[in-house]
Amino acid sequence: MSTEAIAVEKPKRNYNVLFGLTLLALLVLLWILLSVTTTSFASANNIANLLRQGSMIAIMAVGQTFVIITGGIDLSVGAVVGFATVVVAMMINAGFPIWLAILVTLLVGVAIGMFHGFGIVKMGLPPFIITLATLTSLRGIGLLMTNGNSININSDTFTAFSRNSFIGIPNLFWMVILVGIPAYIFLHHSRWGRYLFSVGSNAEASRLSGVNVQRTIYMAYTLSGLCAAFVGVLLAARIGIGNPTQAEGWELQAIASSVIGGTSLFGAVGSVHGPLLGAFILATINNGANLLNVNSFWQRIITGALIIIIVYFDGLRRRGK
């Protein structure tokens, strides 16, 4: 790496660290305020429930971040989650081993992500269009597969996982760590992660410098589909059913978590820790609002306001370079 590139990279890393610490401070502040203003926020049951709520959106936000860094968007992740609950439920009820049902479901997510990459790279479709089409199509396919009904999962072994804890921490939160650590290494300490940033910054310049832009786009959307399918498995385990209408609107929560976590919708800026913190900030706001009996409509307004503010300041930061 050249001296000039190192000079550019260092302030970017410093910015990510500073922004991450700011998000962590905000999350801690919210927890302190809600512990003081409510009687049940700090209870063990509520904290465990909050961690479970935030964990699935956090994993989706990581996958979404890979895509946004390249300058794209994946609107299908909520539908992929719902469809994945159907696939894993049908396979388990058909008598397949749980490990095989999970593996096939994850491969379905990979296939969906690769289809998105194909649509963008080979067909020339905008990411917004191809993923929006998948969003609506997967809901319809899932409803056809289930005849519009929910599928009750008849395996207590499978559903018990999401309700249990390890050393007092919910299993679903451990899944965030399971995804977050390799995702961090991949994005920040591998050449593939650098390729994502490079493509998001300038795809043509990346191509001229030897980066396989098409393969990088395939990779980003494949990882997003994989993360969404994994969340579908976790959701099916938590609620005990397969239903294609589940996770409706979760794609917007994943995007919001990523943006609140510092990922730029303009591409080339993002991290793993930011979206994870963003997801738990949103989960904390929603949890606290419920405990305070705040109208759910206000929760959406607050989320929207946060996105506007952060994107606005991201624009100022970009113009100030």
Side-chain angles (χ1 to χ4, degrees):
M1 185 179 289
S2 67
T3 304
E4 183 179 355
I6 294 174
V8 172
E9 187 69 19
K10 189 173 181 180
K12 183 183 291 186
R13 289 178 179 174
N14 291 339
Y15 169 80
N16 285 336
V17 171
L18 179 61
F19 192 81
L21 291 174
T22 302
L23 290 175
L24 182 60
L26 175 59
L27 182 60
V28 171
L29 179 61
L30 286 172
W31 280 42
I32 292 173
L33 288 175
L34 290 171
S35 297
V36 172
T37 56
T38 67
T39 58
S40 57
F41 178 82
S43 66
N45 286 337
N46 185 65
I47 294 299
N49 183 52
L50 188 155
L51 292 178
R52 291 188 180 100
Q53 288 175 341
S55 293
M56 290 183 284
I57 298 298
I59 295 172
M60 290 175 63
V62 170
Q64 186 72 244
T65 297
F66 293 142
V67 169
I68 296 177
I69 286 174
T70 66
I73 198 78
D74 189 349
L75 298 178
S76 72
V77 290
V80 173
V81 170
F83 187 72
T85 67
V86 172
V87 174
V88 73
M90 293 182 72
M91 292 197 66
I92 290 175
N93 285 359
F96 289 96
I98 292 176
W99 68 267
L100 182 58
I102 294 174
L103 177 61
V104 171
T105 303
L106 296 180
L107 290 176
V108 168
V110 168
I112 293 170
M114 293 183 69
F115 170 72
H116 290 153
F118 177 82
I120 295 165
V121 170
K122 299 299 184 182
M123 300 175 65
L125 297 175
F128 180 91
I129 298 300
I130 185 67
T131 59
L132 179 63
T134 306
L135 183 157
T136 56
S137 298
L138 284 179
R139 297 290 189 193
I141 294 171
L143 289 169
L144 286 174
M145 291 171 62
T146 61
N147 291 320
N149 300 315
S150 296
I151 302 174
N152 293 316
I153 299 174
N154 55 22
S155 172
D156 292 335
T157 302
F158 177 72
T159 56
F161 174 81
S162 67
R163 305 188 188 104
N164 293 335
S165 301
F166 177 66
I167 61 172
I169 300 175
N171 286 343
L172 291 182
F173 185 78
W174 285 112
M175 295 300 99
V176 176
I177 297 175
L178 179 67
V179 171
I181 291 176
Y184 177 84
I185 295 172
F186 168 81
L187 185 62
H188 298 289
H189 298 283
S190 77
R191 60 184 178 132
W192 303 107
R194 291 193 294 272
Y195 291 166
L196 293 178
F197 288 106
S198 178
V199 170
S201 177
N202 190 320
E204 180 60 22
S206 298
R207 185 187 65 80
L208 293 175
S209 64
V211 175
N212 190 324
V213 174
Q214 294 187 357
R215 184 166 58 188
T216 302
I217 292 174
Y218 269 109
M219 179 174 59
Y221 285 89
T222 298
L223 290 172
S224 179
L226 177 62
C227 287
F230 184 48
V231 171
V233 172
L234 299 179
L235 179 60
R238 186 180 186 198
I239 63 179
I241 64 171
N243 190 318
T245 62
Q246 289 293 326
E248 188 170 357
W250 282 22
E251 60 278 348
L252 299 181
Q253 292 188 49
I255 294 170
S257 298
S258 186
V259 171
I260 290 172
T263 307
S264 173
L265 288 174
F266 301 103
V269 176
S271 66
V272 170
H273 59 273
L276 295 181
L277 289 169
F280 285 104
I281 287 173
L282 285 183
T284 299
I285 291 173
N286 292 335
N287 181 273
N290 289 332
L291 294 177
L292 293 170
N293 295 319
V294 175
N295 193 306
S296 61
F297 299 150
W298 280 105
Q299 298 176 30
R300 299 189 179 193
I301 293 172
I302 292 171
T303 301
L306 280 174
I307 294 173
I308 291 173
I309 292 170
I310 291 174
V311 172
Y312 172 72
F313 281 105
D314 178 51
L316 290 181
R317 180 184 62 82
R318 288 171 58 85
R319 288 193 293 270
K321 283 185 176 180

